[in-house]
Amino acid sequence: MQLTFVKKWGMIKRKQSEMLFREAAQRMPGGVSSPVRAFKGVGGTPLFIKKGKGPYLWDADGNQYIDYIGSWGPMILGHSHPAILQAVKKALKLGTSFGAPTESEIFLSRLVQEAFPSIEKIRFVNSGTEAVMGAVRVARAFTQRKKIIKFDGCYHGHADYLLVKAGSGAATLGIPDSAGVPEEFVQNTLVARYNDTASVEELFQKNSGEIAAIIVEPIVGNMGTILPRRDFLLKLREIASREKALLIFDEVMTGFRVAFGGVQELYNLKPDLTTLGKIIGGGFPVGAYGGRREIMQLVAPEGPVYQAGTLSGNPIAMAAGIATLNQIKKLKPYESLSQKTQKLTLGLKEAANRHGVTVTIERAGSMFTLFFTGEPVINAEVARRADTQKFGRFFHAMLERGIYLPPSQFEAAFVSVAHTEKNIAQTIAAAEEVFKTL
Ligand SMILES: *Cc1c(COP(=O)(O)O)cnc(C)c1O
């Protein structure tokens, strides 16, 4: 396999990125606007990205990469998709923000509600973090209870009370609990073990009548990809209903990623509330939460649960989201995305086996994680046992070969519609070389 654009190990120029990073680090904590971008989990200098097109990114030194981060999930159509660029340009001509309702919010809500029948009413916000904060607030108001259950390793954004045993950047940096969060703020957050319904039952027994909601990444992306085993999600649905607590599916990552209607479509389950983000913004800052009408009508101004946003429902962001979802509707890409990704993960697994490298690859449709462990990864405890040193070496060797993977063992990689069979073959060929050296 000819790796045409990929330079040889150790040959890639990083001068510009290194220079930019030095200045950025003087001006911004860690030189970045979000922690995991800083490569702390793998060491080295982060790449400064100049542009993206289709499956490719180009850094400030002009190096080209096959991108498997996809802006951490949103870019399911690849970068600079013409339909999105066109929709954004068209919207821009009308102005950028009005602080008043626009028709575009109705269009996006129609598309979302068509995909997610459980979302009878929806509120748009600017990020996944905000979506989760809104959902938890309304859940507490509806049930008139204070406590929530989350799962070890699941990440739901950076609200104070959810930075408890959180995944994503927090997992990478080894700070499951953030400084600056008073104990009082997390005393109503109970932590259960993913894929372990007994741990949930135990919390309900000990906190009977006090739990407002269970919040879960129904397929996990933020401690690396982890799938729900057996009937875990169904059991959560049953427990929540029995206990009159709400079930919140945090589908910020999985919504429109694993299926048009997210994990709830795949498993045919109805959460009471759903949070969305990432793909619904088409690369712009959008989040949303929604669910049963009787719950959502508690949200201001219909009800007493306050939640607002100067730029919420921003018309440019809505236009990007609408264009993205319309493209997905037209392309129906999930089957082919899944096959393409399976080809990649099988190829990676075989390459690892050939060179005696122990890996477990967990995959859900077009999201996957290659864990350096021999165990099936069913929860955060197992994920944490993966060899992060080895992952770091793998990551950098792949990067040198033009393959841009998430710079952390505890993040999902994403395949987009734009990735070609050739990209997949190039990636496997690069991994083959790398596994030989590990
Ligand atoms: C990304 C993510 C969030 C946070 O979204 P932001 O837009 O980064 O605030 C919340 N929950 C899940 C499951 C996510 O993947």
Side-chain angles (χ1 to χ4, degrees):
M1 182 80 225
Q2 180 75 37
L3 303 175
T4 45
F5 62 84
V6 180
K7 303 201 182 85
K8 276 292 157 201
W9 167 253
M11 293 290 286
I12 273 184
K13 275 195 316 192
R14 293 275 170 69
K15 265 200 156 70
Q16 285 298 322
S17 278
E18 277 162 14
M19 215 174 67
L20 292 168
F21 186 55
R22 267 197 301 277
E23 172 158 8
Q26 294 297 318
R27 299 185 180 281
M28 293 171 262
V32 291
S33 301
S34 192
V36 78
R37 296 178 195 173
F39 278 25
K40 281 269 194 265
V42 291
T45 305
L47 304 177
F48 277 67
I49 301 301
K50 195 137 199 179
K51 65 171 182 178
K53 178 113 186 90
Y56 303 112
L57 288 177
W58 286 264
D59 67 13
D61 290 284
N63 302 305
Q64 185 184 7
Y65 304 88
I66 302 174
D67 174 32
Y68 289 101
I69 299 183
S71 190
W72 301 96
M75 311 318 289
I76 192 166
L77 298 174
H79 297 281
S80 304
H81 191 281
I84 300 176
L85 296 188
Q86 199 184 8
V88 168
K89 278 181 197 157
K90 201 171 148 203
L92 270 172
K93 286 195 184 132
L94 302 173
T96 54
S97 180
F98 313 119
T102 62
E103 205 178 12
S104 61
E105 290 151 79
I106 302 176
F107 293 150
L108 188 57
S109 65
R110 267 188 211 146
L111 285 161
V112 172
Q113 288 170 314
E114 195 181 307
F116 289 78
S118 73
I119 302 183
E120 292 168 3
K121 273 199 163 174
I122 188 166
R123 167 60 59 86
F124 289 112
V125 293
N126 305 292
S127 68
T129 296
E130 275 185 74
V132 169
M133 288 172 71
V136 170
R137 187 176 301 146
V138 73
R140 283 173 162 157
F142 184 79
T143 56
Q144 311 221 329
R145 298 172 179 179
K146 285 185 193 169
K147 295 183 180 174
I148 56 168
I149 293 179
K150 82 176 284 289
F151 293 89
D152 182 11
C154 283
Y155 178 68
H156 303 290
H158 60 84
D160 283 335
Y161 55 88
L162 286 163
L163 286 176
V164 183
K165 303 253 181 198
S168 194
T172 309
L173 298 175
I175 40 163
D177 304 295
S178 169
V181 178
E183 269 161 45
E184 296 89 320
F185 286 35
V186 298
Q187 70 190 8
N188 290 314
T189 306
L190 311 171
V191 180
R193 204 177 298 117
Y194 191 77
N195 272 325
D196 179 355
T197 45
S199 73
V200 178
E201 291 283 16
E202 199 180 307
L203 290 174
F204 273 102
Q205 270 159 26
K206 286 190 184 145
N207 301 273
S208 176
E210 294 182 274
I211 295 168
I214 305 171
I215 183 164
V216 64
E217 286 184 75
I219 288 174
V220 188
N222 286 296
M223 45 183 154
T225 309
I226 301 181
L227 279 75
R229 299 306 208 263
R230 296 179 306 278
D231 49 2
F232 176 63
L233 296 175
L234 176 65
K235 280 270 157 52
L236 290 186
R237 177 64 282 179
E238 287 171 4
I239 295 169
S241 299
R242 186 192 73 211
E243 299 287 339
K244 299 190 168 43
L246 301 187
L247 181 63
I248 306 174
F249 273 8
D250 182 353
E251 299 228 43
V252 169
M253 186 182 288
T254 54
F256 299 98
R257 167 58 65 179
V258 297
F260 197 59
V263 181
Q264 50 199 277
E265 177 191 310
L266 286 182
Y267 288 79
N268 192 25
L269 285 170
K270 261 196 170 174
D272 301 289
L273 291 167
T274 300
T275 53
L276 294 168
K278 301 200 166 112
I279 289 175
I280 63 163
F284 283 79
V286 180
Y289 65 101
R292 276 160 52 199
R293 187 173 302 275
E294 56 174 335
I295 302 169
M296 286 304 289
Q297 68 195 16
L298 291 181
V299 176
E302 235 173 286
V305 177
Y306 192 71
Q307 186 273 303
T310 302
L311 294 173
S312 294
N314 173 270
I316 312 299
M318 295 288 111
I322 293 162
T324 301
L325 300 195
N326 274 330
Q327 279 298 311
I328 296 177
K329 250 179 88 170
K330 197 174 84 186
L331 293 170
K332 299 189 177 37
Y334 296 102
E335 189 59 43
S336 78
L337 268 175
S338 187
Q339 279 169 11
K340 201 158 53 179
T341 311
Q342 187 180 36
K343 199 174 255 182
L344 174 59
T345 54
L346 283 175
L348 292 173
K349 176 80 179 149
E350 283 165 12
N353 287 349
R354 268 196 294 281
H355 298 287
V357 180
T358 305
V359 301
T360 296
I361 304 180
E362 300 286 343
R363 180 182 71 88
S366 58
M367 56 190 268
F368 73 93
T369 302
L370 188 149
F371 290 98
F372 283 90
T373 177
E375 302 171 80
V377 181
I378 54 162
N379 60 34
E381 267 164 55
V382 179
R384 285 189 201 107
R385 288 202 286 268
D387 187 340
T388 53
Q389 297 285 321
K390 204 173 261 182
F391 178 85
R393 294 206 301 277
F394 173 71
F395 167 82
H396 279 294
M398 291 297 278
L399 195 64
E400 290 288 345
R401 287 161 177 79
I403 313 295
Y404 191 43
L405 295 166
S408 160
Q409 174 69 99
F410 307 110
E411 300 284 356
F414 299 99
V415 175
S416 79
V417 169
H419 285 80
T420 62
E421 295 286 339
K422 188 171 168 213
N423 293 150
I424 301 295
Q426 286 169 315
T427 307
I428 296 167
E432 181 91 45
E433 275 185 30
V434 173
F435 285 134
K436 218 183 292 177
T437 69
L438 278 187

